[in-house]
Amino acid sequence: MIGGQGLSRKSTQFSANAERSLLCPLGVFAFSCGVILLYRFSVLPPYLWLFSSLFVLPLLLKPQTARFRVVVFGMIWFATGLGWAAWNADARLQKQLTPGEEGVPITVFGYVCDLPQPGSFNSIRFNFCVDRWPAGFGSAGTGMHPDKVRLAWYGSGDKILPSGPIALEAVLKRPHGSLNDVGFRYEDWLFRHGVGATGSVRKVTDLPGASCGLVCSYHAWHRAVASVVERYFGDAEHYSLVASLLIGNRGHLSAEQWQTLKATGTIHLVAISGLHLGLVALIAGLVVRRFLLMLPAGVISENGIRTTVYCGVLLACLLYALLAGMTIPTRRALIMVIVGGWFVLKAREVSPWWPFVIAMAGVSMLDPFAPLDQGFWLSFSAVALLIWVFANRLQGLGWLAGLVLAQAAVFAGLWPVLQSFDQAQPLAGVLANLVAIPWVSFVVMPVLLLGTLLVVVSGGTLTAYVSAGFDAVLGVLWGLLQAVAALPLYPLPGASQTVLVAFAVLVLLLLRFPSRSFRVLSGVVFLGWLGVGWLTNVNPENRSVGLSEVRIFDVGQGLSVLVRSGQQVLMYDTGPEVKGVYSAAESVLIPNLKAMGVHRIDHLVISHGDSDHAGGLDLLMGELAIGRISTGEPEVVRGKLAREPVADIQPCPRLPQVMGAFELSFWSSPLPRSGNDASCVLRIFHRESGVDLLLTGDIGHDVEAEMLAEPKPEWLSLFSGQRILIAPHHGSKTSSSMQWVRAVMPNWVIYTAGYRHRYGHPHPDVANRYRQVGALPLNTACSGQISVRFEGDGPKITEAKHRTPFWIGGPGLTRDQCKIP
């Protein structure tokens, strides 16, 4: 009996100890999970209800055991994190322009709050933090207008944007960008960075007498630092890398440099983050400790030395973070250094996962929008992988073995993470990072920091020698990256997310629990998988679709349509391109095609040669196989190509064709036309459902009348089934005559236009004509990507805006209030 009571007391004591040891890590982790989960919702949950649950949960569950208390504690902190993120998101979304305030010239007061970067069309682009909106402007007095706007100053030339308080006359519009199933979404980026409007600058006025607060003064100082760095090192051959690594100014990196960094998986090297702050922390720690050890014995205790080293490390990292502009990855790395350094200072025997979880919670609390960053997932995943591989290892490793082990873990572990962001894992990244990381850590960064200090101390006397040193070490780095990028490495075979996760788990288990026989077996399986993947990747087949479909991509002011039936693929137009600025092929088409498993376009139809219909052809041909090319302007399209096309460029076909479940009919003016009126018209007819879809390019009134007068396309006005029409010329007033509209009689009309574009498409008169015949209007500027699936009983039309998160498709936001004239 006595023994039983003793055992019971021990069990109770054990439960209490286990409960106490679990509560703090569980609560901190649950808070982070709550913040992260918010961004999976399509509807913003009411934060007041979430905060109310903090008082209701304990009352409802009434936990009596340690297990239930732990569960309730975790739920409370989970609700706290979710409510905290929802509150911040709601506050950010409340600060919006109204539709009536768009396109109206206004004068706003504030300061430039980042480093202005050169843009297209002789412009500079920058973020502007607004201190004051003009009196009487909408609801300016309510404080519900954006705190930050993204602006472009066109034709600025050599003009200098003043630091400190300024007044800007600008024309603004609400956040908006292309919306497709896959690819970069500008609206995500704007929301994450707290940008509530975009626009262009008309006039800039300096306000020398206005007050400049702490944040304003910091940004003015940072711009002054950037000017000093450019004055000292602007003539260096690798100045773009110097500016990136010293002060986080990546605006001078060229498109070719970005391409090399992307191909070698080394973009992280020019984003001041954990690698750079960790190195600064290491150098500062060694210097401060060496200085303290030079003091007479007994002057400072061992605990005092540790505390002083910690403070010195924090001060050095903070100064470097301020120098780097306090960017998002820099702030995230600074928090991790603070938390990790604190545990080292206290020398506590705790799990290395404990500071990891605290750092994640700290980042989530101080920046609840952090989970929207790809860098958030990549940085914390990389740290978690390194902890898994190196923590509590009984056997020490040399620096080379450790570096190889780390690269293997990061390569395998981040592969599924990158694929979840629709990015590839470059094989060249393993080779490049094996050399680039130690070179940057132990050579480049120390040389940059020491060289900058020497230039400052010497008053610029040593600038020429220091710049030569910078170019020497950075030249080695850049030569290496270019050599690796040029290697003829086969791309890694594609695989499903499940396969990649299984592969990552296998590699991580091998690295953590090595077994010779298991390693050999796994290596054979892995090499076999790579071999089979590469062999089958030589001429990959398109992924088959069950239902034939047409996808009208949201490419802004332009047109691009994908047609699929079985494994067969046709693409009509490739969207707009502005050289060196934007390419729909790169940003929209290629990512979406790869995500859909499209490796070959059997027939590429380019309506005509205008840049908003025939952009990015070289990029597209470099990524996918092209069967044949047809266009209304063969010579113009051929002149746009920098490379010789694999397929010959043919005029618009005259004979009908069959593509799976579709019948294709083509038409173009037999007269010698050019430009818009030379467009190749395509009719897609789905036999089973009796539905057709017309793609008309940019034809105008004259060609419309010519088409109606010609008896050959009998399907144009004699068709009695359901019809979907892509409006000619995006709904321009030069197209869609009343005669044409009544003859075509579409059930749906789709405009492919840019949001609040200067052309004003669709024109109100054109939109009214289609309404008169009962056509249901859709616009990619409002709907985003529009998908049409052909079923037996008719078309099923879906809009991308209905599958968006709350910060894009929420009530009262741009997409919700977007209207067709």
Side-chain angles (χ1 to χ4, degrees):
M1 191 72 174
I2 296 175
Q5 292 176 350
L7 183 61
S8 177
R9 284 195 298 270
K10 289 182 179 179
S11 177
T12 303
Q13 183 180 2
F14 175 78
S15 298
N17 292 337
E19 179 183 353
R20 284 194 296 270
S21 64
L22 279 174
L23 285 182
C24 285
L26 176 65
V28 171
F29 183 69
F31 177 87
S32 300
C33 290
V35 173
I36 291 170
L37 184 66
L38 175 74
Y39 301 105
R40 307 299 299 176
F41 292 149
S42 59
V43 177
L44 180 64
Y47 61 86
L48 290 177
W49 285 92
L50 293 169
F51 287 142
S52 299
S53 68
L54 305 181
F55 304 98
V56 176
L57 277 174
L59 299 176
L60 290 178
L61 296 178
K62 295 181 180 179
Q64 300 296 326
T65 65
R67 181 175 297 175
F68 277 114
R69 283 195 294 271
V70 169
V71 170
V72 171
F73 188 81
M75 293 177 65
I76 289 173
W77 279 103
F78 177 83
T80 302
L82 188 59
W84 171 250
W87 177 49
N88 281 274
D90 181 73
R92 180 165 289 185
L93 290 175
Q94 291 297 323
K95 298 179 178 181
Q96 297 280 337
L97 296 177
T98 64
E101 294 166 348
E102 294 183 288
V104 179
I106 61 168
T107 299
V108 291
F109 305 86
Y111 54 92
V112 177
C113 47
D114 70 349
L115 293 177
Q117 307 294 347
S120 58
F121 307 113
N122 193 27
S123 68
I124 55 175
R125 299 175 183 270
F126 57 94
N127 290 338
F128 186 74
C129 290
V130 183
D131 286 333
R132 179 165 56 91
W133 291 83
F137 180 71
S139 55
T142 66
M144 302 305 287
H145 276 75
D147 297 323
K148 185 190 297 183
V149 296
R150 181 75 176 168
L151 298 173
W153 189 11
Y154 291 98
S156 53
D158 296 328
K159 298 177 183 177
I160 298 176
L161 193 61
S163 298
I166 57 176
L168 298 179
E169 182 183 334
V171 176
L172 302 176
K173 64 180 180 180
R174 308 170 86 189
H176 190 277
S178 297
L179 181 61
N180 298 281
D181 290 344
V182 179
F184 174 74
R185 292 199 300 207
Y186 191 42
E187 286 164 278
D188 287 346
W189 187 91
L190 293 172
F191 174 72
R192 192 273 169 266
H193 290 82
V195 177
T198 62
S200 58
V201 176
R202 298 276 185 88
K203 181 181 178 182
V204 177
T205 304
D206 195 5
L207 302 175
S211 62
C212 185
L214 180 63
V215 179
C216 171
S217 300
Y218 165 68
H219 285 291
W221 171 82
H222 189 237
R223 289 188 62 192
V225 169
S227 299
V228 171
V229 170
E230 185 170 8
R231 186 171 71 250
Y232 282 146
F233 308 118
D235 294 332
E237 179 184 355
H238 297 287
Y239 168 70
S240 57
L241 295 176
V242 173
S244 299
L245 293 170
L246 272 182
I247 58 173
N249 183 6
R250 301 192 291 179
H252 297 280
L253 291 170
S254 65
E256 292 75 16
Q257 287 177 309
W258 279 114
Q259 187 59 38
T260 299
L261 293 169
K262 182 179 179 181
T264 55
T266 52
I267 291 179
H268 64 96
L269 294 179
V270 295
I272 296 179
S273 55
L275 174 68
H276 310 81
L277 280 185
L279 179 63
V280 170
L282 177 64
I283 294 174
L286 292 174
V287 170
V288 174
R289 185 169 181 82
R290 170 62 62 181
F291 173 77
L292 293 176
L293 291 177
M294 294 171 60
L295 298 176
V299 171
I300 185 170
S301 65
E302 180 60 30
N303 188 52
I305 291 177
R306 295 163 66 93
T307 302
T308 306
V309 169
Y310 176 67
C311 293
V313 165
L314 291 192
L315 180 61
C317 290
L318 178 61
L319 290 175
Y320 186 51
L322 290 171
L323 195 67
M326 272 292 180
T327 58
I328 290 170
T330 306
R331 294 198 302 265
R332 183 170 58 239
L334 183 61
I335 292 172
M336 298 176 79
V337 168
I338 292 172
V339 174
W342 176 259
F343 276 85
V344 172
L345 169 66
K346 294 301 181 181
R348 293 180 176 177
E349 292 293 332
V350 296
S351 168
W353 293 105
W354 184 214
F356 172 84
V357 170
I358 290 179
M360 181 182 290
V363 171
S364 302
M365 182 178 68
L366 296 175
D367 183 9
F369 303 97
L372 290 172
D373 269 334
Q374 177 180 323
F376 172 87
W377 296 98
L378 293 177
S379 61
F380 277 106
S381 296
V383 172
L385 292 169
L386 296 178
I387 291 175
W388 166 261
V389 170
F390 292 107
N392 302 319
R393 291 185 72 94
L394 298 178
Q395 184 177 0
L397 294 171
W399 71 269
L400 182 58
L403 180 63
V404 172
L405 209 62
Q407 283 302 306
V410 169
F411 174 80
L414 291 188
W415 195 350
V417 180
L418 286 168
Q419 178 153 300
S420 68
F421 289 104
D422 305 309
Q423 292 191 14
Q425 175 69 290
L427 184 60
V430 180
L431 301 176
N433 281 288
L434 274 174
V435 180
I437 288 179
W439 183 257
V440 170
S441 301
F442 302 116
V443 178
V444 173
M445 288 305 298
V447 167
L448 288 180
L449 295 174
L450 181 59
T452 303
L453 182 62
L454 289 175
V455 169
V456 172
V457 171
S458 68
T461 306
L462 301 177
T463 299
Y465 303 102
V466 170
S467 294
F470 287 178
D471 282 337
V473 296
L474 289 171
V476 172
L477 172 67
W478 197 247
L480 165 73
L481 297 183
Q482 287 181 318
V484 173
L487 289 176
L489 298 175
Y490 286 101
L492 290 169
S496 67
Q497 192 73 358
T498 303
V499 171
L500 291 183
V501 170
F503 166 70
V505 170
L506 174 65
V507 172
L508 294 174
L509 287 175
L510 284 173
L511 296 177
R512 188 70 181 85
F513 308 107
S515 167
R516 185 179 298 275
S517 57
F518 190 36
R519 279 180 173 177
V520 172
L521 177 62
S522 301
V524 171
V525 172
F526 174 61
L527 292 176
W529 171 58
L530 285 181
V532 172
W534 278 327
L535 288 174
T536 57
N537 210 36
V538 175
N539 293 303
E541 294 183 347
N542 292 333
R543 188 185 304 159
S544 182
V545 290
L547 292 174
S548 300
E549 67 174 10
V550 171
R551 300 193 184 198
I552 300 97
F553 291 117
D554 180 9
V555 294
Q557 185 70 24
L559 177 65
S560 183
V561 178
L562 181 72
V563 184
R564 302 172 75 196
S565 184
Q567 290 184 315
Q568 298 182 65
V569 173
L570 178 146
M571 175 163 281
Y572 185 91
D573 286 348
T574 56
E577 179 185 36
V578 178
K579 293 289 186 183
V581 179
Y582 174 76
S583 168
E586 181 179 20
S587 300
V588 177
L589 305 188
I590 292 172
N592 278 274
L593 292 174
K594 288 186 175 181
M596 289 185 283
V598 173
H599 305 283
R600 171 186 169 85
I601 298 174
D602 299 293
H603 193 174
L604 175 62
V605 180
I606 304 298
S607 62
H608 61 299
D610 282 6
S611 60
D612 58 336
H613 292 256
L617 288 173
D618 283 314
L619 284 171
L620 197 66
M621 292 178 182
E623 294 289 337
L624 293 98
I626 307 292
R628 52 181 168 157
I629 304 173
S630 303
T631 177
E633 293 188 292
E635 294 303 322
V636 176
V637 171
R638 189 175 290 110
K640 286 179 171 289
L641 300 176
R643 66 176 74 192
E644 187 67 26
V646 176
D648 191 22
I649 300 176
Q650 300 291 335
C652 185
R654 293 293 179 181
L655 298 177
Q657 302 172 6
V658 175
M659 177 184 147
F662 292 125
E663 290 180 3
L664 308 179
S665 301
F666 299 86
W667 184 90
S668 64
S669 173
L671 300 177
R673 302 277 189 178
S674 63
N676 293 340
D677 287 341
S679 294
C680 180
V681 176
L682 169 62
R683 184 228 189 188
I684 303 167
F685 176 61
H686 187 251
R687 297 186 295 270
E688 182 182 355
S689 64
V691 178
D692 76 353
L693 186 146
L694 301 184
L695 296 162
T696 56
D698 279 352
I699 60 172
H701 289 157
D702 292 344
V703 177
E704 289 173 353
E706 183 183 340
M707 191 175 183
L708 291 175
E710 190 173 314
K712 185 65 182 265
E714 66 282 351
W715 43 262
L716 186 63
S717 56
L718 300 179
F719 181 66
S720 59
Q722 292 180 298
R723 169 164 286 170
I724 303 169
L725 170 68
I726 309 298
H729 202 180
H730 320 288
S732 166
K733 64 181 180 180
T734 61
S735 300
S736 298
S737 65
M738 195 70 239
Q739 181 186 11
W740 160 270
V741 172
R742 285 175 178 161
V744 175
M745 287 292 290
N747 300 88
W748 294 270
V749 58
I750 299 175
Y751 307 103
T752 57
Y755 179 73
R756 298 191 66 86
H757 195 270
R758 66 181 184 274
Y759 292 152
H761 296 157
H763 194 274
D765 292 344
V766 171
N768 187 53
R769 289 172 201 156
Y770 285 109
R771 285 195 183 95
Q772 290 181 36
V773 299
L776 178 67
L778 295 170
N779 189 349
T780 53
C782 300
S783 304
Q785 174 185 306
I786 299 172
S787 302
V788 183
R789 291 193 174 184
F790 294 85
E791 301 179 351
D793 56 349
K796 181 180 180 182
I797 301 177
T798 57
E799 304 168 72
K801 73 175 184 179
H802 295 312
R803 303 187 301 273
T804 55
F806 63 83
W807 61 89
I808 294 179
L813 301 181
T814 310
R815 298 276 175 181
D816 179 59
Q817 296 184 342
C818 181
K819 304 298 181 184
I820 298 174

